[in-house]
């Protein structure tokens, strides 16, 4: 058994009530791998911050770039040089902290084809500033190692409205504007391929725009909070006086996640961006029970490196 199979088997054992299907490689197969399933930017022992990758014919479409996304792609056996598109939902650091690092590390791993990067402004400016921050290393590697220039490979696009983002013949990507204060622009994305439809909520309060985007989808990956456990999570965070109000006011309680999934008529609901992410008092069964009150389909509690 290789490392990836072992990780997948471990995740499956942790989800006795889930019905995730084993991955099947092959032409036309659309795969989803959860790379990071924790809500919030601080490092944790068992979960990385938000990231996932949709693979279509082995082409990679990365959604969000929380800390460690490059490491998680490698752990999932996804070649960094295969990245073709990166989508950022919004500019909280648990979703974009390793945006630039992913691109830089992919370049060191052999990337030599363009990567289109999509997300709310100021993504174009962020990309330029990241290149400036790392110019010393990039220029040294170009001169000393004969690498192709990195800057021409990166094609960032600022998004400011809902609609079609991309249609490259393999996948059609739609965006919806969701509600995640204090940001004026926060996105959810839908990926439609020949065999599957996958929606990533990003961070959001309960959103009618997301319900419309996710209509009839095969898989909805939705952020979730367990409100009664928030006090325990923030007990040792002494430098954020309004953190509780922010969490409760800017995210979706797991019961409402079930309502969103039911209203959208999705087949499978995946709970991710979990808040709290590592509270032993909040079990998988509790997450599922809370969502089950309002959703009749399949419910999966996300785990890092789980493939669906």
């Amino acid at each position: 058994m290789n490392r990836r199979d072992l990780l997948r088997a471990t995740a499956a054992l942790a989800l006795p009530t889930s019905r995730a299907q084993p991955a099947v490689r092959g032409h036309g197969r659309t795969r989803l791998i959860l790379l990071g399933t924790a809500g919030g930017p601080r490092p944790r022992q068992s979960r990385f911050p938000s990231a996932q990758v949709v693979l279509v014919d082995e082409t990679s479409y990365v959604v969000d770039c929380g800390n460690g996304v490059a490491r998680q792609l490698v752990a999932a056996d996804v070649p960094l040089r295969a990245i073709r598109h990166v989508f950022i939902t919004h500019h909280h650091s648990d979703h974009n902290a390793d945006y630039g690092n992913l691109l830089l590390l992919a370049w060191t791993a052999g990337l030599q084809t363009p990567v289109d990067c999509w997300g709310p402004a100021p993504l174009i400016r962020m990309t330029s500033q990241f290149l400036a921050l790392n110019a010393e290393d990039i220029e040294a590697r170009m001169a000393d190692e004969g690498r192709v220039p990195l800057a021409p490979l990166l094609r960032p696009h600022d998004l400011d409205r809902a609609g079609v983002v991309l249609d490259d013949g393999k996948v059609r990507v739609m965006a919806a504007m969701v509600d995640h204060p204090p940001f004026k622009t926060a996105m959810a994305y839908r990926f439609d391929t020949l065999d599957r439809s996958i929606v990533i909520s990003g961070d959001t309060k309960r959103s009618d725009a997301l319900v419309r985007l996710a209509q009839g989808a095969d898989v909805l990956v939705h952020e979730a909070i367990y409100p009664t456990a928030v006090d325990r999570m923030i007990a040792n965070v002494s430098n954020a006086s309004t953190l509780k109000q922010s969490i409760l006011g800017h995210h979706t309680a797991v019961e409402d996640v079930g309502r969103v999934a039911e209203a959208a008529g999705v087949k499978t609901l995946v709970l991710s961006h979990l808040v709290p992410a590592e509270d032993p008092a909040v079990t998988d069964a509790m997450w599922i029970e809370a969502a089950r009150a309002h959703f009749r389909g399949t419910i999966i509690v996300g785990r890092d490196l789980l493939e669906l």
Side-chain angles (χ1 to χ4, degrees), residues 113-223:
T113 51
V115 180
D116 284 282
C117 306
W118 313 83
L123 193 66
I124 293 173
R125 175 163 57 86
M126 289 169 58
T127 307
S128 176
Q129 290 176 336
F130 180 85
L131 290 169
L133 174 67
N134 289 277
E136 189 79 4
D137 174 71
I138 293 168
E139 291 168 5
R141 293 186 186 281
M142 288 168 55
D144 185 53
E145 300 171 4
R147 293 184 182 271
V148 301
L150 175 57
L153 301 181
L154 307 184
R155 304 191 298 208
H157 310 268
D158 286 348
L159 300 178
D160 61 1
R161 67 194 68 185
V164 177
V165 176
L166 169 72
D167 191 341
D168 65 0
K170 292 184 177 182
V171 60
R172 186 173 190 257
V173 182
M174 295 280 294
M177 302 274 283
V178 293
D179 188 5
H180 185 53
F183 295 100
K184 294 181 179 179
T185 305
M187 298 290 190
Y189 296 106
R190 176 174 179 138
F191 294 77
D192 285 297
T193 72
L194 290 175
D195 59 325
R196 299 181 84 185
S197 51
I198 297 167
V199 178
I200 312 295
S201 73
D203 283 9
T204 182
K205 299 162 65 174
R206 184 174 171 180
S207 169
D208 291 337
L210 178 59
V211 170
R212 292 190 293 271
L213 181 73
Q215 281 294 315
D218 294 306
V219 179
L220 169 62
V221 181
H222 201 300
E223 66 127 89

Side-chain angles (χ1 to χ4, degrees), residues 38-100:
R42 68 176 177 84
R44 293 171 171 83
Q45 292 182 342
S46 63
R47 295 181 187 270
F48 279 78
S50 294
Q52 44 267 304
V53 61
V54 176
L55 295 112
V56 185
D57 294 337
E58 303 307 317
T59 297
S60 300
Y61 303 78
V62 177
V63 184
D64 280 336
C65 295
N67 175 42
V69 61
R71 181 267 179 203
Q72 291 294 85
L73 284 164
V74 171
D77 287 342
V78 177
L80 297 182
R81 64 181 180 276
I83 296 168
R84 293 296 175 268
H85 295 274
V86 175
F87 299 84
I88 301 297
T89 59
H90 69 288
H91 290 304
H92 265 141
S93 55
D94 52 330
H95 296 257
N96 74 4
D98 268 5
Y99 162 67

Side-chain angles (χ1 to χ4, degrees), residues 285-297:
M286 291 168 64
W287 284 109
I288 291 171
E289 181 182 8
R292 173 67 64 210
H294 303 287
F295 178 60
R296 295 169 290 178

